[in-house]
Amino acid sequence: MSTSAEPHSLLNCTVKELADYSISGAASLPSAYFNHCPAVAEAEPVVNEEIPTIDVSLLKNGTPEERSRVILDIGRACEEWGCFNVVNHGISESLQTAMMEAFTKFFNLTEEEKKYYTKTNLYEPVCHGTSSNLMGMDVRFWRDFLRVVVHPVFHYPDKPRDFRAISDEYAHKTREIYNELLRAIWESLDLDVSFMEESLELKSSRQTLVGNLYPPCPQPELVLGLPPHSDPCLVTLLMQNKGFNGLQVLHNGKWIVIQLLPRSLLYLTGDIIEQIVSNGRYKSIVHRAMVSSESTRISVATQVTPPIENVTFAPAPKLLERSNCSTIFRGITFKEFFALKFQHKSMNSIMDFIKV
């Protein structure tokens, strides 16, 4: 492709292609990518602040007193932050590295090879896309992604060849972790764990691996990797490559730069925990992805959602009884909630729609 390409042609490119073209001296980015105002950015408080850290191994291997303390710590972190570092999670460093490399190999495939997985239907089990917009605005973001559903039915791309075996093992390991964390969250709300497994139908829950690529951007001061958003799921577990710390979370009106501890995972509370499970007590965390002119950032997120259809979710009756309060949100299926998420430009409009 020549550097004289029309903007329409550039908008049909993946972000990786645009990054490669900019390195070779191509034209500046299409204006659709300019969604971050430097003047506004300067006025936003961005700070380095420690987030809570949870030793998840104590949930299984600790004494009863240690386990109880960790459950209290998880409840406090969910209520005050909506995120925390997960350490001693049991995933080997070699598996984390292999999973990161498998996604990197996919993003390095030819554009023709990746096009086979480019879908417009968000429910496709293997979906590659670019510049995904979560809030319905007519702008672009500096991100390519690969989304793969790995449970209850395991899917995978045919290339790279080792993706299947690596993602299968990684999916099993992360599923063990988020199930343990969900049990702890349920207990922190003083709810029966058996009720959790029944009401959320965890055996048929939808687990997805999402690889995100944020290549070097020629104009990072004007561009976002992803806009401020919360995740439409129960929980997200995220790891990222070393280098640029592009992930920021919104806490008490300030953007906090996330600096993950070595080998740790980042836990993020999803919308379903806040709006349906905890009746607004535990907060889904708003976060965004910044980009760099020099560094490539790759993250791998594991997300779990309830079954798409046939199950209506509402705040647990026992939680409402014990907290002596009425329900804030009406019952809703995940498919309905997910559709609303992508139709509305702000979380407030969704909340207003499902409030009682």
Side-chain angles (χ1 to χ4, degrees):
M1 178 177 176
S2 69
T3 58
S4 60
E6 294 294 324
H8 177 73
S9 299
L10 290 177
L11 287 173
N12 289 335
C13 294
T14 65
V15 167
K16 187 176 186 302
E17 283 182 293
L18 288 175
D20 292 341
Y21 297 151
S22 68
I23 291 173
S24 62
S28 63
L29 298 178
S31 59
Y33 282 92
F34 299 154
N35 49 60
H36 192 53
C37 176
V40 173
E42 286 183 10
E44 293 177 330
V46 178
V47 299
N48 292 310
E49 189 174 329
E50 284 191 14
I51 65 173
T53 296
I54 300 296
D55 183 348
V56 74
S57 69
L58 295 177
L59 292 174
K60 276 190 172 182
N61 304 320
T63 64
E65 292 77 14
E66 288 174 327
R67 188 176 189 281
S68 295
R69 187 173 65 250
V70 170
I71 290 173
L72 287 174
D73 289 343
I74 288 174
R76 188 179 303 112
C78 288
E79 195 162 2
E80 297 176 0
W81 279 87
C83 67
F84 50 82
N85 273 306
V86 179
V87 297
N88 296 328
H89 44 66
I91 302 178
S92 67
E93 183 175 7
S94 60
L95 179 56
Q96 285 182 281
T97 300
M99 188 73 267
M100 194 73 70
E101 289 178 349
F103 273 105
T104 301
K105 289 177 186 177
F106 178 87
F107 291 125
N108 286 335
L109 295 174
T110 67
E111 296 304 319
E112 199 62 35
E113 288 173 307
K114 287 183 288 189
K115 274 183 181 177
Y116 178 78
Y117 300 103
T118 302
K119 312 289 183 182
T120 56
N121 183 355
L122 293 173
Y123 296 107
E124 287 288 338
V126 181
C127 178
H128 169 254
T130 189
S131 202
S132 178
N133 183 354
L134 298 180
M135 292 298 182
M137 299 171 286
D138 189 21
V139 292
R140 296 295 187 98
F141 299 102
W142 196 254
R143 170 222 188 198
D144 289 341
F145 68 89
L146 174 66
R147 183 185 295 114
V148 184
V149 176
V150 292
H151 187 266
V153 179
F154 179 71
H155 300 273
Y156 57 93
D158 293 331
K159 295 180 181 179
R161 287 187 176 181
D162 56 357
F163 195 99
R164 177 180 183 176
I166 294 168
S167 61
D168 189 21
E169 183 179 0
Y170 188 79
H172 275 91
K173 292 290 187 181
T174 50
R175 189 152 60 248
E176 290 175 0
I177 297 168
Y178 73 62
N179 279 334
E180 196 66 41
L181 286 171
L182 282 172
R183 282 191 285 270
I185 289 169
W186 218 255
E187 289 185 52
S188 73
L189 292 167
D190 199 22
L191 296 172
D192 189 342
V193 172
S194 62
F195 171 74
M196 174 197 76
E197 294 176 354
E198 176 185 344
S199 61
L200 296 181
E201 295 199 9
L202 286 180
K203 290 183 179 179
S204 56
S205 63
R206 182 181 173 98
Q207 181 188 5
T208 307
L209 298 184
V210 185
N212 300 299
L213 172 70
Y214 307 96
C217 178
Q219 296 166 286
E221 71 281 1
L222 300 175
V223 175
L224 286 172
L226 278 177
H229 67 283
S230 56
D231 292 338
C233 61
L234 283 160
V235 301
T236 296
L237 291 174
L238 180 140
M239 67 172 177
Q240 63 184 17
N241 62 337
K242 297 177 182 178
F244 176 63
N245 294 316
L247 182 64
Q248 299 178 358
V249 301
L250 187 62
H251 180 65
N252 291 337
K254 298 179 293 186
W255 287 106
I256 310 296
V257 179
I258 294 295
Q259 301 183 54
L260 287 179
L261 300 173
R263 291 198 53 218
S264 70
L265 300 173
L266 178 68
Y267 163 92
L268 301 169
T269 298
D271 296 332
I272 303 298
I273 289 288
E274 176 181 355
Q275 294 132 25
I276 305 300
V277 173
S278 73
N279 198 37
R281 178 175 166 184
Y282 290 170
K283 308 303 180 185
S284 59
I285 185 72
V286 174
H287 51 289
R288 67 183 182 182
M290 311 302 287
V291 295
S292 165
S293 62
E294 299 178 352
S295 301
T296 293
R297 177 172 173 259
I298 296 179
S299 67
V300 176
T302 303
Q303 297 181 327
V304 57
T305 60
I308 292 177
E309 300 182 83
N310 303 326
V311 181
T312 299
F313 298 92
K318 291 182 181 178
L319 176 64
L320 301 177
E321 291 171 10
R322 289 169 182 169
S323 57
N324 194 28
C325 65
S326 58
T327 181
I328 298 176
F329 305 108
R330 68 174 174 84
I332 190 172
T333 66
F334 178 71
K335 187 172 185 178
E336 183 184 4
F337 181 86
F338 194 69
L340 288 171
K341 180 82 171 181
F342 281 85
Q343 289 171 7
H344 292 272
K345 295 184 178 181
S346 72
M347 282 305 301
N348 286 339
S349 59
I350 304 173
M351 294 302 95
D352 291 341
F353 188 87
I354 67 174
K355 277 183 177 179
V356 173

